[in-house]
Each structure stands twice: as C-alpha cells, then as structure tokens.
Amino acid sequence: WMGVPVLGLDALSSAAYGPEAAMTVLLVAGTAGQALITPIMLGVIALLLVLYASYRQTIRAYPQGGGSYTVARTNLGVNAGLLAAAALVLDYVMNVAVGISAGVGALVSALPVLLPLRPELCLLLLLVIAVVNLRGVRDSGVAFMLPTVLFVLLLLGVIVAGVLQVVLTGGHPVPVVAPQAGAASAAVGLSAWLIVRAFSAGCTAMTGIEAVSNGVGSFRAPAVRNARLALTFIVGLLGVLLAGIAFLARAYGVTATDPASPEYRSVLTTLIAAVTGTGPVYAVSVAAILAVLCLSANTSFAGLPRVAKLLADDDYLPHGFASRGPRLVYTWGVVSLTLLAALLLVVFGGVTDRLVPLFAIGAFLAFTLSQLGMVGHWRRLRQRGLPLVLNAFGAAASGVTLLVVLASKFTEGAWVTLLIVPGLVLAFRATHRHYRHVQAEITTEHPLDFTPRPAPIVIVPVQAWTTVTRKALRFARQLGDVRAVHVLTEQDGHDLQDRWAACVTGPAAASGAPAPTLVLLESPYRQLLEPLLDYVHAVEQDCPDRQVVVLVPELVGPRLTHSLLHNARSAVLKARLSFGGDRRVVVMQVPWSLDDTQGRGRAPR
Amino acid sequence: WMGVPVLGLDALSSAAYGPEAAMTVLLVAGTAGQALITPIMLGVIALLLVLYASYRQTIRAYPQGGGSYTVARTNLGVNAGLLAAAALVLDYVMNVAVGISAGVGALVSALPVLLPLRPELCLLLLLVIAVVNLRGVRDSGVAFMLPTVLFVLLLLGVIVAGVLQVVLTGGHPVPVVAPQAGAASAAVGLSAWLIVRAFSAGCTAMTGIEAVSNGVGSFRAPAVRNARLALTFIVGLLGVLLAGIAFLARAYGVTATDPASPEYRSVLTTLIAAVTGTGPVYAVSVAAILAVLCLSANTSFAGLPRVAKLLADDDYLPHGFASRGPRLVYTWGVVSLTLLAALLLVVFGGVTDRLVPLFAIGAFLAFTLSQLGMVGHWRRLRQRGLPLVLNAFGAAASGVTLLVVLASKFTEGAWVTLLIVPGLVLAFRATHRHYRHVQAEITTEHPLDFTPRPAPIVIVPVQAWTTVTRKALRFARQLGDVRAVHVLTEQDGHDLQDRWAACVTGPAAASGAPAPTLVLLESPYRQLLEPLLDYVHAVEQDCPDRQVVVLVPELVGPRLTHSLLHNARSAVLKARLSFGGDRRVVVMQVPWSLDDTQGRGRAPR
Ligand SMILES: [K+]
Ligand SMILES: [K+]
Ligand SMILES: [K+]
Ligand SMILES: [K+]
Ligand SMILES: [K+]
Ligand SMILES: [K+]
C-alpha cells in the first residue's frame, strides 16, 4: 500500500489544476459557461476510464515496468521510440512547471500579498527542488505519503461536507467565505468550439496516471495484481475528486478567475474556503496542496533522468546523461530539467493556465504512443483478444484527444510543440549520427606499438616549497625527466631558490640520484600562467619526439568552496593547453587534500 | 582624441538616465515638482565640477592610471582599499544593470508593444554582451566611437534645435509630438526632503567620470596633459547635455512617467520626439541611445574583471579571478558580473528607477574613497597646496552626497548596500585568511624524498580497440604496470577480447615486451562507471605502497559540443574518484582530437 501515495501522487495532484484549467477556458462565456464544468468533467472522467482500462493491460504485459519509451521502442521501432522519448521529455518538463506554478497559485490565493512575487516564488521552489535532487534523495516513502494522504483526506472531507450542505440546504448552500464575484457577463456565447477547448484543458487532470505502469517492479508479489489494484484505487480516487470538485464548484458558485490578473484566486482554494471558511482546515489544505504539487513536480526529477539515461545508453543523448555523479545522481538530467523548467516558468510568468496546452500535448502524445506500442505488442504475440481491443481503443481515444488539444490550443502555445518535439527527435538522431561517425573514425586495425620511446619530460610548476610541491616532485621523478618551473614576479622574495638547494640539490647529491632541473621564468604584471605556457610550448618544439607532461596539484575533498579557491589555476592551465587542440601535452592533476597538511600527510611520505 | 569616445562613453551615457531619475522622484509633486528639474540639474552640474577639479589631480598624481582601489589602498591602507573595492564591485554591477535597463527603457518607449517584455529584453541584451565578452573583444575603438559620437551630436543637435524653437516662439514651443499628459495633480506638496531625494537620484548623472583617470596610461604623450584635456572636454559636454535636457524638458512640458506602468515613456526619447517628431532623426537617436547605453554597460566587463584580478593577486578573491582563460578573458570576472547583473535585473524587473539608489551609492562611495586617498597621497608627499584643497573639497562633497543619498533613498533600496558592501569586505577578508591559513599549513622544511619506489599501477579503461585506446596504452606503458580494464555489459559482443590477442598479446610476444594485463569486469544495468570504480578501489587496497594512476582519454579541440559529447564520462570518473578526498589515485587525462582520426593520427604513432 505504500505504492499508492508514491505512485498515485502524480495523478492525484492533477485534481488541483485539471478542473481549474477547464473552468478558466469557460470564463469568457460567463455564468452559462461555468455551468458546463460538470458535463465536461464527466467527459474527462470517461476518458480517464478508457486510459485506465488500457494501462491495466500495460501493467500485465510489462511486469518490470513499461514506460512509453520502452513500450514504443520495443514494439513500434526506433522512430516511434524517439518520438515517445521527446513526448516524455516535454511531459516531464511541463509536469515540473505546472506542478510548481499551480502550487504557487494555491499559495498566493491564500496569501494574496505574495501575488506579485509569483514568478520569483516559482523559481525559488524550483531551485529548492533541484538542490534537494542534486544532493541526492533516498526514496523516503513517508515524506511522500504524508502530504498525499493529507491532501486526499482533506479534499474528500471537504467534498463530503460540501455535498451534505448542498443536500441539507436543498441545493442552495451558503458559502462560508463567498467566492469573488466574477464571470457575470458573457463576453462570448457558448459554442461547441469553446466546449472542446475547455475539455482539452481539463485533460491535464489525467496526467500522471501512467506512473503505476512505470513502477510495477516496485510492488510486492503478486506485483501485477497489486499494481492493478493500486491503479484501480488511484483512478477511483481521482474520479471522485474531479467529480466532487466540479459538482461543488457549481453548487457554491465558484468560478475561475483571470489567471494573470491581481484578483487571481485558485478554484480549489476558493472552493475549500467556501465550504469550510478560512480557518485551520483551510490553512492545512493549502499547505497540503502546495506540498503535493511540489512532490508531484519532484517525480519528474526521477523520471526524466531515467529516460535520458536510456537514451544516452543508446547514443541518442550525450553520454553525460548516462553517468551518475558522486552522489549517485544523474547530474546532467537533473540540471537539464531544472534549466528547461526555469525557462518555461520565466517565459510564461509562472501562470499555470499558459502552461497547460504544452503539458496536455506532451502527456497525450506519450499516452498515445504507449497505447499504440501495446497494440503492437499484442499483435506481435498474436493475441487478438480483449487486451488488444482495450489498448486499441485507448490509443484511438488518446490519439483523438491529442489532435483535439493540438487543434483547439494551437494558437495558445500548442504550436510550440510542433517545433519542440520534432526538434528533440532530430537532436537525438544527430547525436546518434555523431557518435556513430566518431566510432567509425577511431576504429583501427593497427596493433599496439611496442617500440621503445624516450622517457617523457615532466614539467612541474613550483611557486613555493610546500608539502604539495614535495609530493608532486616525488611522483614526477617516477614518470620521467623533471623540470620544475618557477615564475618570478616582482613580489618574489627568492625564498624558493634558497630552499631548492637545501631541499632538492643537496639531498640529490647525497643519494646519488639526478636532481630535477629548476627553471626560472621572468614575468611582468604578475601573470603566472603566460610564461609557463610559453615555456611548455618551447619544450614541445625543442623535443618533438618526446611526450610532455605538465603535472599540477589539484585539491580534492568534499568542500566545493575549497576546490573553487584552489583549483581554478590548474583548471585554466589545462583549458589553455587543450585549447587549439594540442594533443602532445598531457596535463596530470595530482590530488592533494587539506588533511594532507594536518594528519598523516605531515610526515614525509 | 580616440580616448574621448572610449573613456567618455561611460560618463556621457549617464545623461540618458540621470535627469530622468531626478524627474521621476519629482513626479509625486505634480507640475510644481517638474519645474524644479532645472535648479536640481544645476546643483548636479555644480557637484560635477567639484569632482572634475578633484579628478584632474588624480590624473596628475597617477599617470599610470589611478583606480579607486589602487588610490585608496596605497594611501589609506588595506581596509580602505577593500572598502573601495567593494564599492567598485557594486558600482560596476549597477552600471551594467542601469545601462541595460535604461537602454531597454528607450527602446520600449519608441516601440511600446515591447513594454511587457522589458525584463526579458534586459536579460537578452545582458546575455549578448556577456557572450561577446566571453569570446574576447579586442578594444575596437571604432565600434565604440561611432555610437558615442552619433549620440552626442544628435543630442547636441536636438538641444540646439529645441533652444532655437524656444527662442523663436518666445518661450512657448509647440511639441511636434505632444508628450503624454501626466503629473497634472500633485499627490504630495513640495518639500526640502523631496528636493534632496530628487538631487540624490540625479547624481547618477555623474557616474562614469572616473573612467579617464583610470585610463591615463592609454593616452599619447604628454599623457597627463591629454588626459586632462579629454576630461575637461567630457565634463563640459556632459554639463551641456544635462543643462540642455533639463531646460528643454521644462520648455516642452516633458515630464517623467510612472516607470513601472504600461504608460512608461523615457524622458529623453519623449523630448527628442517633442523637438524633432518621430521621424528618422528620432529612430536613429533611439538606436544611438540604446547602443551607447549597452556600450557603457560593456565598460564594466573590462573594469570589474580588472579589479577582481588585483584583489585575487593579493589573495582577497579566489585565484580563479586572476587567470585568463583560453581567449585571454578573465572568465570568472565576466561570469560573476553577468550573474550579479542578471540577479539585479530580475529582482528589480528591469526598471531603471528601482536600480538608481544602489548605483548612486556604489559610485559615490568609490568617488569618496578615491578622493580621500588623494588627500592621503598629498599629505604623504607633504604637499599642502591647491591639489590637496581640491581633493579634500571633492572628498567632502562626494562624502556628503553619499550620506544624503544613503539617508534619502534608505527605504527605497539603499539599505541593501549596508549589507552588500560590508558583506563583500568580510568575504574578501575571509578569503585572504583562508589562503594564509592553507599557505601556513602546507609550508614544510622537509627535503625531497629520493628513496626509490615501485613503479605506479596504470589503469586504462578500454571499451573498444580504437586509435584513442592505442595511444593511451602506449603512453601508459611508459608510466608503469598497465592494467587495461574492460567492463562487460549485456550488449557486449566480445569484439575487444578477440582484438586484444591480435593487437596486444601477439605483438608483445613478438617484441619480447611484457603485455599489458586485460581485466574483464561484469556489469548489470549497463553501468560502466561503478564496476570500474570498485576495481580501482580494490587495487588501491591490495597495493598500499604503490601509486595508482587512472588514465582516461579526453577529447580536446575548439568545439565545446564535441567536448560535451565525449568528455562527460571521464569528468564524472574523475569527480567520483576525488569525491571523499581520495589522494592516492591520480587521474590522468590523455588528450586526443578528432583530427587524430583523420589526418596524421591515422598512421600508427
Ligand atoms: K502532477
Ligand atoms: K500530473
Ligand atoms: K508525468
Ligand atoms: K553609464
Ligand atoms: K555612468
Ligand atoms: K563606473
């Protein structure tokens, strides 16, 4: 049962913005328009049931978890897989943007003084979520469970209380806190077109129901049966929430408000205030809504990097997406998702309503390809029974919905998806082509060359006699002929030259080993890098047959600030040596740590 | 004379926002308030002349260029120098933010459809300027000269034409394009306080006049005389522009407009439209204003990195600020400036008026410390004549102005400077302490250790037999005992194992050299990194007395995209090995280039 809150989160949270998205479209048609919310939500629930039947089949067919990319790629081929991947990328990014903007929408509805700060609050929340994910989150079920359970129980409580009120007052409940008067005059009449557009917006209420089918593997045995039960439960709950919200909004006269105006109040918070007043229940509800929407946005931070890793494994995205960083986080995936979501939040000013078209298209394109993939799956297995029919029906329903959303929201931003989705697919293919091309180029038949070569020349920049210098020089002696290079600036006190005799030339003579050469370079203007680079290039010219190694110390350790304070010069040195494609000079970064200088590192090693 | 446009740019461009800043403050006092712009601008011009006299002395005393930091640090000690540096950082950042926001203000005044996009346009311009600077700009005098000359000539022309009109019409010129009616009713009465606040805002018109004294070194001999001539010329021009704008604004009834409202129109563009209409002169003027303000913002991209380099040389900022990247750009300085300016533009919504208080304080704090430093300079030299008096007067005047600005704008954002400036000084000192501390820690008396050590173990990850692998293995053989590590994933075709016999073991036996060991590691889930890391750590455990080197290929070359596509894995490998402070494993990145695979690299090397 732990799976229900974690995997249901994404779907259930959609109740916080789906109905509102439809009601906002109906706003222009005044009171008559708002009356339509109930039939439109019933339509959405009907489509939800079709998708439910479809995803039950996916769960059975892919007990290890069947994401859109896997299902489409396996059953429909590479191109469909890439299209599904592009749709998923869009879906995941929009899920973050919509979740955060709707959460902030609930917050500013409760605290209207914060309304002018909406874009800033969105970016702040995004930053918090991104940082949490970059530091690595262990799936802590409880943190996810509590807000979800609270959200569902509170909403169910409000719905039950509201319905009771409606019944007791004979259909005319008195709101505890009256909703803002709005949408009184009809700017435009009702039309079939308006209804279609409202339905399209309302379809965002279904986003996230695919989560259970992605995570079948995390259920206890019998996993398929348990996953199907969980899906039934989640879809049932979501249906009740959607129907309840639509019914009560009508009964209490709650309407949408202009999402971009300073009078904006979210439908759900207004509804809760109308039923329960703005007391503690209201405060806890707003907090639960905000928390659930943030956690729902957070699910993308697990989902998108996982899809990106699959694509990178197949050379369709840079390999950086396939590697986990020190905290076992797919850093590239998390950072890309954050940047893309931030871009969307900035461009659309953190207003949920403007983000909805892109979200619906991303989600329904992924739904459609996933269901089509299932149709392909059953055909491949030559099973022509009910599952095939259900998935075909699901594919048709979500495909038609996709076209409806695309057409009805085209001028409101949906046209952008016609650039983004094919653009992503082309980028995947271009990346793949590049990797293939390079692979072909570097493939060789030549055997390893065992002819002897002279020892490398090892250049060690030395500004003072320190434990770090000692360690670097000792290692350098193992690699080849050492040249210690010291850049003399105007401030130089010639301390190093004195030490060199005592600490290097003296001991070398005593031990009979050759002493490393000390090279002194003059530098005006306190530039340390330029004289060193000139020297390296001169050595390279003089000794064309020898490998040149530049050995620079690099501070390692857990503190990023220390690394920034101490490693910039060696990083720049490396960048400047590689710039222009110099392939002869190898830069070797010898790690040292601040502990080296305290504990054991103190003793000579 | 080339120096005038380049060094005068920063000062002259201030005419585009200084008068407007004062007029915006007067807005609340209605028509009576707008009448005060002339006396206030005369006060600003008087202060400008005091600073002019002061900076003439600086030019003479510091013919190599005397920035606030240098002058304050040399004459008043380290703490004053750090305070001046903090003031300069604030000044430079604000100069970028104000220049860009005022430029965009002029643009959206001419094209009001763009008004809702003001923050986005600001960020876009900032990005363009930052990218240009990151790619490295050679000081191209002409690109700077043309817009500045155009700006000055057009403004002078408009002023002459306007004054003629005023004279010809007996003081009642008819605007060609009537300014928006505004500021008709006085919300609050006139008060001394309001006048002080307007004067404070108007002081931004003086920002940038220190540029000539920073750049004395760039003048032809006699440099001091030429620099002083240039300063006289620039200050004279700026005075004429300020006086002319103030006079004509009164005569034509041009008032400021609410800077945050959709009716915002900049004073200067409104004035030009009133005098010349919105014909070609107007269009060229707006373009020139935008260009000059962007170029003026651009001057900070040379100035801030230069100050940061001085601070980093003295260990007050991370050494990264002292190193120039591949394009000879102080990358850290440019990037920091961009991020700080972007932050300010986002927080203040790209509205110039909100940025003005911070700008005035940064500039006048720098002025004051610079003049105080000059007072110290003359006292040190025991010269007690006119220069001392002039600088003392300049210091007093700018110090009083600073206090006036701080007090009068305190609640409008100036309080932030009381956090930023001391915060920066503390950060400088903390950085310095850290470097001193580490320097003391790593200083050693121990001589270099010449006792022999066993050869290092060199681990080379190998996924396929390529030219890159060959090069890496050949180099690895020179360094120590080679272990080639191959991670077997489910997709592995065992191609490498076949090749290994033909390309390594065979030739090794033929040449009598020892063959590198091939280590095979199993990996589920296509993770390449984890098995490799486990192996490295195991080797480290097994051979505690030997240095472990991990040799990974790194693509070098001019194309960043190629580097992103090919170097992520080795970067992550390095990060994960250093994470936790492992000091025994050295990661060595062997450069290769895509040319290697085409031209000469094809042949065995
Ligand atoms: K969601
Ligand atoms: K969702
Ligand atoms: K989703
Ligand atoms: K300026
Ligand atoms: K300026
Ligand atoms: K400046």
Side-chain angles (χ1 to χ4, degrees), chain A residues 10 91-92 95 208 210:
Chain A
D10 198 3
D91 179 45
Y92 281 126
N95 187 45
E210 77 287 0

Side-chain angles (χ1 to χ4, degrees), chain A residues 31 237 276 301 316 363 466:
Chain A
T31 321
L237 265 181
T276 71
F301 280 85
Y316 286 107
T466 65

Side-chain angles (χ1 to χ4, degrees), chain B residues 77-406:
Chain B
V78 169
N79 285 320
L82 293 182
L83 193 59
L88 280 176
V89 168
L90 181 62
D91 179 45
Y92 281 126
V93 173
M94 296 313 300
N95 187 46
V96 173
V98 167
I100 288 177
S101 73
V104 169
L107 181 67
V108 298
S109 301
L111 298 169
V113 285
L114 294 177
L115 229 155
L117 295 175
R118 194 148 52 152
E120 287 83 1
L121 284 172
C122 287
L123 290 179
L124 188 70
L125 272 186
L126 175 61
L127 192 70
V128 170
I129 296 175
V131 167
V132 166
N133 277 282
L134 281 175
R135 296 187 68 91
V137 261
R138 298 293 104 242
D139 275 326
S140 95
V142 182
F144 282 71
M145 203 161 88
L146 196 73
T148 315
V149 171
L150 205 61
F151 171 82
V152 170
L153 289 183
L154 281 170
L155 273 194
L156 286 179
V158 168
I159 289 171
V160 169
V163 171
L164 273 180
Q165 275 291 319
V166 174
V167 172
L168 290 177
T169 57
H172 299 285
V174 182
V176 181
V177 174
Q180 290 195 5
S185 62
V188 301
L190 284 175
S191 67
W193 187 234
L194 189 72
I195 296 171
V196 167
R197 286 177 51 225
F199 173 79
S200 297
C203 282
T204 50
M206 271 167 275
T207 57
I209 63 154
E210 77 287 359
V212 174
S213 72
N214 291 342
V216 190
S218 65
F219 282 90
R220 274 203 218 129
V224 169
R225 199 170 147 265
N226 284 338
R228 283 178 142 202
L229 261 177
L231 183 64
T232 309
F233 188 71
I234 289 166
V235 167
L237 265 182
L238 180 57
V240 170
L241 293 184
L242 295 178
I245 291 168
F247 174 76
L248 287 184
R250 274 294 289 144
Y252 279 86
V254 173
T255 65
T257 47
D258 179 0
S261 84
E263 274 75 45
Y264 171 75
R265 300 290 179 272
S266 95
V267 166
L268 198 55
T269 54
T270 312
L271 186 63
I272 297 169
V275 175
T276 71
T278 49
V281 175
Y282 178 77
V284 175
S285 299
V286 171
I289 293 170
L290 178 61
V292 161
L293 286 169
C294 286
L295 289 176
S296 150
N298 188 69
T299 58
S300 285
F301 281 85
L304 184 122
R306 212 185 301 119
V307 167
K309 146 92 171 131
L310 293 176
L311 288 167
D313 277 342
D314 296 341
D315 292 343
Y316 286 108
L317 272 182
H319 292 154
F321 284 102
S323 306
R324 292 188 294 178
R327 291 170 189 276
L328 302 186
V329 170
Y330 289 107
T331 317
W332 282 42
V334 171
V335 170
S336 306
L337 177 58
T338 307
L339 293 179
L340 290 172
L343 181 70
L344 282 163
L345 284 172
V346 168
V347 168
F348 292 103
V351 176
T352 314
D353 189 54
R354 299 180 192 150
L355 297 161
V356 155
L358 294 182
F359 191 20
I361 288 176
F364 274 84
L365 183 53
F367 285 163
T368 308
L369 288 163
S370 165
Q371 306 309 329
L372 277 178
M374 287 307 297
V375 172
H377 173 81
W378 301 124
R379 287 174 60 115
R380 254 186 338 122
L381 297 182
R382 303 192 181 282
Q383 297 198 6
R384 299 187 174 273
L386 186 65
L388 174 67
V389 174
L390 287 175
N391 281 131
F393 192 58
S398 46
V400 169
T401 309
L402 173 66
L403 293 177
V404 166
V405 176
L406 192 58

